[in-house]
Amino acid sequence: MTTTTTVTSIEARRLSGRPLSDADFDGVRMLHSDARVMATLAADGRPAAEEFTRAFIRAAVEHWDRHGFGWWAFRERASGRFAGYCGLHRVTIEGAAEVELGYAVIAEFWGRRRATEMAQAVLDAGFGPLALADVVAFTLPTNLASRRVMQHTGFLYERDIVHAGLPHVLYRLRRDRFVQLSRTIP
C-alpha cells in the first residue's frame, strides 16, 4: 500500500530530519560499527559489516519509493552533526502487517532525549500528514532506554513477542491516544 502524502523534512527542537539516503552513509556506518549501538539493534549484538549498512540504506530508499515514508536521518540543527536515524517502516509481526517506529542514536547522545525527540517528530508526521491508524514499536525486554522512549511518546505495552529469534516486548500507539496526549502536552 502506498501513502499519498509524503513528508520530506521534519523539524524538532534540537534536530532536523530528512529521508535517509546514500549521503548519510558515514553517519549510519558510525552507528552500525559501534558495538554499544548494535547491542540494541542486531540479533547477534555485534557491529555490522559495511555491506549491511549499504543494504540498509538501499532498503530505506526503496521503502520511501514504495510507501512514501520510511527512515529519516537526523542531524543537530545547531551543528549539522549526524545524531541518528528514526522512522516508520512496514513490518510483519506474527503474520500481521504493521507500521513500526524504529530509532538508533549515536551513543554519545544517549541519555540526552534525542531518541525521544526524533520519535515524537516522526510520530507527528505519522499520525498527522500520513494519517496512520496506529504504530508499533518493539525491543529486547532488557533495553530499558528504548522502552522509556516508547513510554515517553505514549506507547502502551501490548504483549511479548519473538523477533529475530529473540524475546521482545511489543508496544502500540493508536492515533486517538496520540491525539489526546498531544492536546495535554504544553
Side-chain angles (χ1 to χ4, degrees), residues 74-106:
F74 279 87
R75 296 186 176 277
E76 288 188 306
R77 288 173 58 162
S79 69
R81 193 164 154 225
F82 185 83
Y85 59 79
C86 181
L88 300 165
H89 61 108
R90 295 198 179 276
V91 295
T92 301
I93 298 174
E94 297 178 337
E98 303 279 5
V99 174
E100 178 202 4
L101 172 76
Y103 38 84
V105 178
I106 298 294

Side-chain angles (χ1 to χ4, degrees), residues 133-146:
D134 65 342
V135 174
V136 299
F138 54 89
T139 190
L140 296 168
T142 56
N143 189 342
L144 300 180
S146 186

Side-chain angles (χ1 to χ4, degrees), residues 20 53-66 71:
L20 194 70
T53 301
R54 292 190 190 290
F56 176 83
I57 292 172
R58 272 194 308 274
V61 170
E62 290 170 7
H63 191 282
W64 270 99
D65 291 345
R66 191 173 322 117
W71 295 106

Side-chain angles (χ1 to χ4, degrees), residues 116-138:
T116 299
E117 190 173 327
M118 290 188 303
Q120 186 66 47
V122 168
L123 290 167
D124 286 343
F127 290 120
L130 297 174
L132 297 174
D134 65 342
V135 174
V136 299
F138 54 89

Side-chain angles (χ1 to χ4, degrees), residues 109-121:
F109 292 134
W110 287 3
R112 298 184 187 177
R113 299 186 60 93
R114 296 306 195 279
T116 299
E117 190 173 327
M118 290 188 303
Q120 186 66 47

